[in-house]
């Protein structure tokens, strides 16, 4: 069992979770915790979350509009066809 004390920080009450307890629970900085009252006790649970930056290429491209890509390619085609403008390596 781990103990923690509530403290004031600005307009909020803050509880500090001991590092070893957080590690055992699998919590890290940014983990969202939910609190639920049950009689005289409180339950604290980590919300499931998807780590940022962990998307597949298919997920990243799922919302890309093919017509937008076609228009973009057409708009830069002349620039690409005329060769390098600076120190680009082709």
């Amino acid at each position: 069992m781990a103990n923690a004390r509530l403290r004031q920080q600005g307009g909020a009450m803050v509880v500090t979770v001991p590092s070893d307890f957080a590690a055992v629970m699998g919590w890290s900085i940014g983990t969202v915790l939910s609190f639920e009252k049950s009689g005289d006790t409180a339950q604290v649970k980590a919300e499931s979350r998807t780590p940022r930056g962990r998307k597949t290429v298919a997920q990243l491209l799922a919302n890309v509009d093919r017509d937008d890509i076609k228009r973009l390619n057409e708009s830069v085609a002349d620039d690409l066809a005329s060769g390098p403008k600076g120190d680009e390596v082709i």
Side-chain angles (χ1 to χ4, degrees):
M1 178 183 239
N3 293 324
R5 181 180 309 255
L6 284 172
R7 61 186 172 83
Q8 184 77 32
Q9 183 174 353
M13 281 193 279
V14 177
V15 63
T16 302
V17 177
S19 305
D20 55 344
F21 184 80
V24 169
M25 296 300 295
W27 300 345
S28 60
I29 301 300
T31 299
V32 176
L33 302 175
S34 65
F35 294 83
E36 186 176 309
K37 184 181 180 318
S38 178
D40 288 343
T41 64
Q43 293 181 339
V44 180
K45 293 188 219 174
E47 296 289 325
S48 60
R49 68 181 186 92
T50 303
R52 285 187 251 155
R54 308 275 178 166
K55 293 183 179 178
T56 65
V57 172
Q59 289 170 321
L60 292 170
L61 297 177
N63 294 322
V64 173
D65 184 341
R66 291 182 187 271
D67 291 332
D68 286 343
I69 296 298
K70 183 178 178 183
R71 284 190 293 276
L72 173 65
N73 286 335
E74 289 169 354
S75 72
V76 298
D78 290 338
D79 292 334
L80 294 174
S82 65
K85 302 273 190 271
D87 296 327
E88 297 93 352
V89 177
I90 296 188

